[in-house]
Amino acid sequence: MKQQASRPPACISWPCVLYSSSHSHCVLPSSRLWLICVLPLEDGKPVSLSPLEAQPHSPRYTASSQRERESLEVRVREVEEENRALRRQLSLAQGRSPTHRRGNHSKTYSMEEGTGDSENLRAGIVAGNSSECGQQPVVEKCETIHVAIVCAGYNASRDVVTLVKSVLFHRRNPLHFHLIADSIAEQILATLFQTWMVPAVRVDFYNADELKSEVSWIPNKHYSGIYGLMKLVLTKTLPANLERVIVLDTDITFATDIAELWAVFHKFKGQQVLGLVENQSDWYLGNLWKNHRPWPALGRGYNTGVILLLLDKLRKMKWEQMWRLTAERELMGMLSTSLADQDIFNAVIKQNPFLVYQLPCFWNVQLSDHTRSEQCYRDVSDLKVIHWNSPKKLRVKNKHVEFFRNLYLTFLEYDGNLLRRELFGCPSEADVNSENLQKQLSELDEDDLCYEFRRERFTVHRTHLYFLHYEYEPASDNTDVTLVAQLSMDRKSVIQLDLANTKKAMIVPAFETLRYRLSFPKSKAELLSMLDMGTLFTFRYHVWTKGHAPTNFAKWRTATTPYRVEWEADFEPYVVVRRDCPEYDRRFVGFGWNKVAHIMELDAQEYEFIVLPNAYMIHMPHAPSFDITKFRSNKQYRICLKTLKEEFQQDMSRRYGFAALKYLTAENNS
């Protein structure tokens, strides 16, 4: 459909653009209103259109221009009629064509990015289709996206999991995480990912402690400490064959598919090797307070919470030498960094601005106090990456902080097991643990009424270790104890009873209260007084006496030395045992028989049960658990539990022979 060059261009509101008479078209999101200009064609190519400057209040506005405007309006209406007819034809053609697919049905999907200015913040994902118009950078469906994160310490290991969950929630591509971690974080995160078993996710660790010497010569005032400088040495740390990587701070939350950010690498040109968002505070402008003297930066500077690194080109540019020389020069006057690696990145960019591709600010919405972050979005759909880069974190001041906080808390509390989903069409690397688990599960009978119980026995639970920092020194006499409950350490009888060299289970007598507020007794005498007044009771005496009756509370009242008790049916005391004791039987999950089975196993292995005379614990009231509610209300639950008990006793008989006969006899007599 060619137009005569003499005709003025016509603007229409219509989600399809004609580029030439070949009827190539772009299918754009129907939820947006697009203002499209149909242009005169010269040699089959669209002619550039200069801005319409003649306005009614402009000096250039004349009667002649009024007539031209009226003529243009008539032509617009004619073109709109023609385009409506053409749109109907195209709709029919699309309905007949099986080759036009959108979104996830396409082999690749493409991204359209803004350039950082406010007009382009609205740029969104253009679904992949078979037209040739508007060719965009693409991310292959099964292309692996590489992400590097510096993570050190037990607190950082908690933050990074929330970040990872937000990435996994939105992702459609395989991921390879490169974690620069200290020994604590590596222990925590290695356990987490091994038990998480998320398909199409690979994790490699790099020893942060070995990198300290690379950056320890740089004085740093930032709260991130020495680890806040380690992004500078990623070109040296990461594998030499890794060409590009997205680098993230741990206090990041993703609100979109990370593949959109990965696609931006295709927009780098020339010597651009760093993708960064402009800093949204006034820090580098040097006007925050009197005598404020920041490191040199280009304009407002750049924030390094989100970085796109072209590693191969950086290595060829001798990045190591570049940043080191810059840091040495600036430190002669600045003496230390205030914002860790960010100061040095900005000093390098100040001298070499050609290195940067400026990302639109929605790729790093910085939630510090007094930032311009609100200019990065107008709607929730504009948000892509949220950065809690203030030391205040969730307590930061921001107009929409409640929304951002809720988004963060959603991923913090999100069940990570729900993210164990396959990427269809993208084969995962073989995982021995996962394959063994699937084999074991496949051997179970799904028609078995107790299938859920049996399945749980083989389930690998996602495990996130967490512990407080403690300078541990092993005891020379090998009497170390791992504390797994609130117990007093000043009166245990570990040495006296030679727990390290004998099979003993030390029983801590258990009591309970029905009061939600209780002043905990500071001595045995005070506890006995509360017991006599009815403030405390022996544990579960009114609903399950057999569970703790063998403790012999009457004897405990006057006991001054440890005393031995014998196993009885359904005995389930709280015990202190050696680390190498038998583990709990994994068939008993939820409510019922887990402690009973464990105590039975200890007795079968000839452990002595010794009651401690001056130790005690108190059970506080709480709402019933979900599992005990099922036990009480679901007959099938109770039937399955009875079946599992019988199977456990049969296993005991096979393992311990004649010695296990007493357990069957005791069960029949109880």
Side-chain angles (χ1 to χ4, degrees), residues 15 26-34 102 112 122 124-127:
C26 288
V27 180
L28 302 178
S30 59
S31 60
R32 305 288 179 103
L33 183 64
W34 297 80
R102 300 180 63 179
E112 183 178 42
R122 252 44 48 193
I125 304 176
V126 179

Side-chain angles (χ1 to χ4, degrees), residues 470-476 480:
Y470 176 70
E471 296 295 337
Y472 170 68
E473 295 182 5
S476 58
D480 296 347

Side-chain angles (χ1 to χ4, degrees), residues 182-197:
D182 64 354
S183 57
I184 294 176
E186 181 172 352
Q187 179 185 357
I188 294 171
L189 295 174
T191 302
L192 174 70
F193 282 104
Q194 286 167 7
T195 56
W196 202 346
M197 295 192 295

Side-chain angles (χ1 to χ4, degrees), residues 186-300:
E186 181 172 352
Q187 179 185 357
I188 294 171
L189 295 174
T191 302
L192 174 70
F193 282 104
Q194 286 167 7
T195 56
W196 202 346
M197 295 192 295
V198 183
V201 170
R202 177 179 169 182
V203 181
D204 282 330
F205 291 91
Y206 306 83
N207 193 331
D209 293 328
E210 294 180 357
L211 301 177
K212 286 182 177 179
S213 60
E214 300 284 342
V215 292
S216 59
W217 57 274
I218 305 173
N220 178 28
K221 294 180 180 177
H222 194 255
Y223 62 84
S224 59
I226 192 170
Y227 299 106
L229 297 162
M230 290 189 177
K231 283 183 280 188
L232 293 165
V233 297
L234 289 181
T235 54
K236 188 175 182 180
T237 306
L238 298 179
N241 61 349
L242 183 59
E243 296 181 356
R244 60 191 65 178
V245 68
I246 296 173
V247 185
L248 303 173
D249 279 357
T250 58
D251 52 1
I252 291 287
T253 304
F254 265 76
T256 192
D257 189 349
I258 196 171
E260 296 181 45
L261 182 57
W262 186 256
V264 180
F265 275 117
H266 296 284
K267 301 176 78 75
F268 283 29
K269 297 178 181 177
Q271 292 181 291
Q272 292 174 335
V273 289
L274 303 170
L276 292 163
V277 170
E278 186 180 52
N279 200 45
Q280 290 155 23
S281 77
D282 292 344
W283 177 268
Y284 287 109
L285 298 181
N287 57 8
L288 293 183
W289 59 80
K290 187 178 180 180
N291 299 325
H292 176 215
R293 187 165 168 248
W295 275 56
L298 199 64
R300 306 188 70 87

Side-chain angles (χ1 to χ4, degrees), residues 453-597:
F453 279 87
R454 304 190 192 283
R455 183 181 186 277
E456 192 67 26
R457 184 178 184 181
F458 300 107
T459 300
V460 177
H461 294 276
R462 175 178 169 270
T463 305
H464 186 178
L465 303 175
Y466 184 67
F467 49 87
L468 298 176
H469 183 65
Y470 176 70
E471 296 295 337
Y472 170 68
E473 295 182 5
S476 58
D477 55 1
N478 198 29
T479 57
D480 296 347
V481 173
T482 299
L483 191 65
V484 290
Q486 289 182 310
L487 303 175
S488 174
M489 292 294 293
D490 58 351
R491 298 185 296 273
K492 288 216 174 147
S493 306
V494 174
I495 299 176
Q496 180 185 352
L497 296 176
D498 193 21
L499 188 67
N501 301 306
T502 59
K503 286 186 173 182
K504 288 187 175 70
M506 299 191 302
I507 296 173
V508 181
F511 301 85
E512 69 175 322
T513 180
L514 302 180
R515 300 182 180 184
Y516 283 88
R517 292 186 178 182
L518 178 75
S519 177
F520 198 89
K522 297 180 176 62
S523 66
K524 180 176 180 177
E526 189 176 341
L527 180 139
L528 291 174
S529 176
M530 297 172 73
L531 197 64
D532 293 337
M533 290 188 299
T535 306
L536 294 178
F537 309 91
T538 55
F539 190 51
R540 289 293 185 260
Y541 86 100
H542 56 299
V543 292
W544 187 243
T545 306
K546 294 192 297 183
H548 293 263
T551 300
N552 195 344
F553 289 100
K555 184 174 181 177
W556 183 82
R557 292 180 69 102
T558 58
T560 56
T561 59
Y563 60 92
R564 181 174 177 175
V565 296
E566 297 297 327
W567 174 89
E568 294 180 19
D570 297 319
F571 191 26
E572 52 175 354
Y574 294 98
V575 295
V576 178
V577 289
R578 289 183 349 204
R579 181 179 300 182
D580 60 354
C581 75
E583 296 181 351
Y584 272 52
D585 193 290
R586 295 185 64 178
R587 80 187 81 195
F588 298 109
V589 295
F591 177 80
W593 251 66
N594 47 9
K595 292 201 300 293
V596 173

Side-chain angles (χ1 to χ4, degrees), residues 138-159:
V138 296
V139 177
E140 292 292 333
K141 180 179 179 181
C142 294
E143 181 178 350
T144 299
I145 295 172
H146 293 267
V147 180
I149 306 171
V150 178
C151 178
Y154 40 88
N155 286 327
S157 69
R158 289 177 67 82
D159 294 335

